[in-house]
């Protein structure tokens, strides 16, 4: 596994370590999880924004219409 380093103040380090300990995680686990969650949230937001921008142009079908189109 690769290693990354993060620069922060001593006060931030203390807060991060205290929070990680309270969560029962080490700092690496905590930061990795938080960063990945943030990326996922932003990705999901992007998908939602794209949907909202295009939804007026989309044709939504009922299950019955899909079955009919597929010949089921």
């Amino acid at each position: 596994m690769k290693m990354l380093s993060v620069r922060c103040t001593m006060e931030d380090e203390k807060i991060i370590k205290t929070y990680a300990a309270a969560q029962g995680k080490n700092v690496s686990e905590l930061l990795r999880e938080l960063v990945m969650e943030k990326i996922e949230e932003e990705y999901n937001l992007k998908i939602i924004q794209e949907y909202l921008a295009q939804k007026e142009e989309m044709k939504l079908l009922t299950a019955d219409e899909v079955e009919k189109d597929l010949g089921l």
Side-chain angles (χ1 to χ4, degrees):
M1 193 176 284
K2 290 284 193 176
M3 179 186 284
L4 299 174
S5 62
V6 177
R7 294 180 188 264
C8 61
T9 65
M10 290 178 69
E11 182 178 334
D12 288 347
E13 179 185 17
K14 183 178 179 182
I15 292 168
I16 293 167
K17 285 182 175 181
T18 301
Y19 184 74
Q23 298 297 312
K25 300 175 182 175
N26 64 43
V27 172
S28 291
E29 290 172 316
L30 175 70
L31 293 179
R32 183 174 46 253
E33 287 177 11
L34 292 175
V35 168
M36 296 309 292
E37 286 174 13
K38 179 67 174 170
I39 291 169
E40 184 178 349
E41 287 172 8
E42 287 187 18
Y43 179 74
N44 289 339
L45 178 60
K46 181 181 174 190
I47 290 172
I48 291 168
Q49 289 170 334
E50 289 173 1
Y51 163 75
L52 292 174
Q54 298 174 9
K55 88 175 191 180
E56 297 301 321
E57 301 166 13
M58 293 180 173
K59 179 181 178 190
L60 301 177
L61 303 173
T62 65
D64 290 338
E65 291 170 324
V66 172
E67 287 177 357
K68 181 180 176 185
D69 287 352
L70 295 174
L72 302 175

